[in-house]
């Protein structure tokens, strides 16, 4: 029931939990195309828009979703590894993802205000996680990243954001999540956290509102805490 919801921005804010793809990096176009091409290579149809709609799932969950649709069963471990390896191979040939404008200055601002910065991503690929540490050096620390490997259940399950609450020692009413994806928003709201959506992709704003976002913005340039 979201009709009676009265979302209140935490005051003071003690932590900001950032999603990675589509929030910190302009990377979703590449992921969408790479997933779509990898599935196509193995004879499955999964459009880039479907990737956007299912963004935030772990790789295994994404592959199982396609198998359930097409074959009415989960993928075997071997099939998961094969398809994920293909997706990884395809995306490796794409140009490196670029950080969105405004992210570093927002992190600088948060840091000056002693607001803790966390990254909560479904991704587990070392390439992207290492890039995070380089691109946001001084702001993002390895001990404050929750990856797909830290959780049993990926987004839309609340576990990733609950894990960030647990590790940070912060309460849900002390933090804000910044997300771009419907399932990511559901995950954050399931953990009871005020959630700001940035619509950096191809979906309608309404999809993000319907997922439970407390605010929807075009990008991060106007965000201040
Ligand atoms: Mg995202």
């Amino acid at each position: 029931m979201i009709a009676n919801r009265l979302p209140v921005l935490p005051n003071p804010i003690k932590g900001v939990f950032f999603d990675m793809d589509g929030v910190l990096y302009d990377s979703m176009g590449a992921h969408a195309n790479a997933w779509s091409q990898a599935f196509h290579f193995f004879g499955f149809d999964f459009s880039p828009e479907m990737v956007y709609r299912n963004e935030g799932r772990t790789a295994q969950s994404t592959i199982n979703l396609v198998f359930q649709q097409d074959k009415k069963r989960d993928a075997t471990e071997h099939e998961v590894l094969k398809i994920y390896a293909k997706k990884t191979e395809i995306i490796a040939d794409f140009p490196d993802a670029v950080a969105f404008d405004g992210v570093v200055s927002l992190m600088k601002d948060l840091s000056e205000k002693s607001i803790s910065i966390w990254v909560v991503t479904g991704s587990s690929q070392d390439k992207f996680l290492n890039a995070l540490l380089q691109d946001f050096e001084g702001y993002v620390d390895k001990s404050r990243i929750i990856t797909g490997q830290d959780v049993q259940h990926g987004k839309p399950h609340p576990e990733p954001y609950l894990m960030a609450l647990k590790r940070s020692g912060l309460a849900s009413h002390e933090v804000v999540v910044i997300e771009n994806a419907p399932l990511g928003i559901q995950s954050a709201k399931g953990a009871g956290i005020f959630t700001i959506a940035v619509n950096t992709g191809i979906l309608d704003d309404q999809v993000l509102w319907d997922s439970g976002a407390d605010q929807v913005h075009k990008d991060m340039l106007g965000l201040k805490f």
Side-chain angles (χ1 to χ4, degrees), residues 189-211:
K189 292 306 295 177
I193 304 173
F194 189 95
T195 304
I196 297 173
V198 286
N199 192 1
T200 59
I202 60 172
L203 302 175
D204 280 345
D205 280 0
Q206 194 57 45
V207 179
L208 304 182
W209 287 117
D210 290 347
S211 298

Side-chain angles (χ1 to χ4, degrees), residues 28 30 34 89 98 133 157 179:
M28 270 312 294
E89 178 195 318
V98 177
L133 298 175
H157 195 283
E179 260 289 352

Side-chain angles (χ1 to χ4, degrees), residues 121 124 145-153 159 163 167:
T121 176
S124 301
I145 304 174
I146 309 290
T147 76
Q149 283 180 330
D150 292 314
V151 296
Q152 294 251 318
H153 308 282
E159 187 183 352
M163 180 73 76
R167 290 207 187 154

Side-chain angles (χ1 to χ4, degrees), residues 73-93:
R73 65 166 175 88
D74 280 350
T76 63
E77 198 177 325
H78 177 68
E79 286 164 338
V80 170
L81 290 174
K82 206 172 56 172
I83 296 173
Y84 192 49
K86 189 73 192 170
K87 186 252 176 175
T88 305
E89 178 195 318
I90 292 169
I91 206 164
D93 287 339

